[in-house]
Amino acid sequence: MADFGVSAGQIVAVIWDKSSLAEALKDLVDKLQALTGDEGRVSVENINQLLQSAHKESSFDIVLSGVIPGSITLHSAEILAEMARILRPGGCLFLKELVETAVVNNSKVKTASKLCSALTLSGLVEVKELQRKPLSPEEIQSVREHLGYHSDSLLSVQITGKKPNFEVGSSSQLKLSTAKKSSGKPAVDPAAAKLWTLSANDMEDESVDLIDSDELLDAEDLKKPDPASLRAPSCGEGKKRKACKNCTCGLAEELEKEKSRDQTSSQPKSACGNCYLGDAFRCASCPYLGMPAFKPGEKVLLSDSNLHDA
């Protein structure tokens, strides 16, 4: 009994199940009541009714589950979370449960490590295994009767966990220092700062000599740059001259003028110089034969039929 750490004035919850023997439960409750005294209290709750009992949170100093001699108890995640909820901050949980020594697929019995992990996930800290022992023949028979489970690798382990010294959802104000921190920069001499400060009134002072901006330019700065020197290094490179995208050096305009000149020079020239006057003045082999008169220099498009007829 000393392993549970029960002392006078504490409130203890004892969780039992259908495999618990009535005489063993009564004997355990009597011993706990003797330890807690008149100022303490011992409450007894069935594990199947724990979730519906609606105990207030932080109601118990110690919760004991599955520790009744002969008890065969399996704790679900919901039961573990509920026991952690009803514990007071700093309270302890002691439980005894069947575990497998090896991992078994689809087994409802956990291993000891998974049971400790489940207790940690329920909100407990300082989870540790206190005792491990094999099952007695009576306990093996009880497992078959109450759980319908049979395995040759079952053990009984006793584990404890502690609730943190704060309640779930609690908050605390952070103590932040409001003292001004040094920026690490050296202090500025006020006299030096004033020396380098120039105001609008200083501009009207005759003692202040201002430099003429034109004097900062020399003869080379005033020369008009050569347009060729303003071109990008890659602009117009290669066998075929081609302006780069968003050309600003003038090559694009230059190429456009050359293209216009080529189009003008590519127009067919008249041998007699009378083609534009009309069919009455054209030769028999004139490509413009049959077309209306046009102004000199006007661009005329010849169709394929006109070329073949010519």
Side-chain angles (χ1 to χ4, degrees):
M1 186 63 61
D3 294 338
F4 299 145
V6 179
S7 59
Q10 289 185 323
I11 301 177
V12 182
V14 179
I15 312 299
W16 62 280
D17 65 292
K18 60 182 179 180
S19 64
S20 303
L21 301 177
E23 295 181 358
L25 174 60
K26 183 178 182 302
D27 183 56
L28 175 61
V29 171
D30 291 341
K31 292 180 180 180
L32 292 174
Q33 288 178 340
L35 292 173
T36 58
D38 297 336
E39 297 180 357
R41 188 177 77 250
V42 178
S43 298
V44 180
E45 186 68 67
N46 185 276
I47 192 171
N48 296 323
Q49 301 296 324
L50 181 61
L51 296 177
Q52 290 78 24
S53 59
H55 289 287
K56 293 182 179 180
E57 62 182 17
S58 304
S59 301
F60 300 96
D61 299 296
I62 296 177
V63 175
L64 307 177
S65 180
V67 299
I68 302 171
S71 178
I72 305 298
T73 306
L74 297 178
H75 300 86
S76 64
E78 292 79 7
I79 293 296
L80 294 177
E82 178 64 15
M83 290 191 292
R85 187 187 69 85
I86 63 177
L87 267 177
R88 290 177 177 174
C92 293
L93 167 67
F94 294 88
L95 63 82
K96 188 175 71 172
E97 183 171 336
L98 297 175
V99 296
E100 285 277 6
T101 56
V103 177
V104 180
N105 294 331
N106 300 323
S107 174
K108 59 183 177 181
V109 180
K110 310 179 191 69
T111 60
S113 61
K114 288 188 175 181
L115 180 57
C116 291
S117 298
L119 286 168
T120 302
L121 291 175
S122 67
L124 300 182
V125 296
E126 300 180 19
V127 177
K128 57 183 178 180
E129 183 179 328
L130 299 178
Q131 187 180 17
R132 175 182 296 205
K133 64 178 182 178
L135 299 181
S136 64
E138 292 78 9
E139 289 174 331
I140 296 175
Q141 183 64 27
S142 179
V143 171
R144 293 178 180 177
E145 292 179 359
H146 296 94
L147 301 180
Y149 187 82
H150 174 72
S151 176
D152 296 331
S153 57
L154 290 177
L155 292 176
S156 175
V157 296
Q158 184 174 319
I159 299 179
T160 182
K162 184 178 179 181
K163 188 171 182 177
N165 290 321
F166 55 84
E167 192 56 77
V168 175
S170 59
S171 60
S172 176
Q173 185 177 2
L174 297 177
K175 297 180 180 179
L176 302 177
S177 176
T178 58
K180 293 184 179 180
K181 296 182 179 180
S182 175
S183 60
K185 298 181 180 179
V188 179
D189 185 5
K194 184 178 180 180
L195 180 63
W196 290 97
T197 302
L198 185 65
S199 65
N201 296 330
D202 295 331
M203 306 295 286
E204 300 176 357
D205 192 350
E206 296 180 356
S207 62
V208 177
D209 295 331
L210 298 179
I211 299 176
D212 187 1
S213 58
D214 293 335
E215 295 179 0
L216 300 177
L217 302 176
D218 53 20
E220 292 294 331
D221 297 327
L222 298 176
K223 288 183 180 180
K224 186 176 181 180
D226 184 8
S229 64
L230 301 178
R231 293 182 180 177
S234 60
C235 191
E237 287 185 352
K239 295 182 180 180
K240 186 177 180 181
R241 298 176 67 197
K242 183 179 180 182
C244 59
K245 188 178 181 181
N246 299 327
C247 179
T248 59
C249 66
L251 181 60
E253 291 79 0
E254 182 180 340
L255 294 177
E256 186 66 26
K257 291 180 181 179
E258 292 179 0
K259 184 178 180 182
S260 301
R261 287 197 299 267
D262 293 342
Q263 290 177 351
T264 303
S265 61
S266 64
Q267 292 185 359
K269 296 182 180 180
S270 174
C272 62
N274 298 325
C275 298
Y276 69 93
L277 296 176
D279 287 346
F281 302 92
R282 292 170 182 164
C283 305
S285 61
C286 182
Y288 296 103
L289 196 64
M291 298 183 66
F294 54 87
K295 296 179 181 181
E298 183 180 0
K299 186 178 179 181
V300 179
L301 299 178
L302 300 176
S303 64
D304 293 339
S305 60
N306 290 340
L307 295 174
H308 290 312
D309 294 342

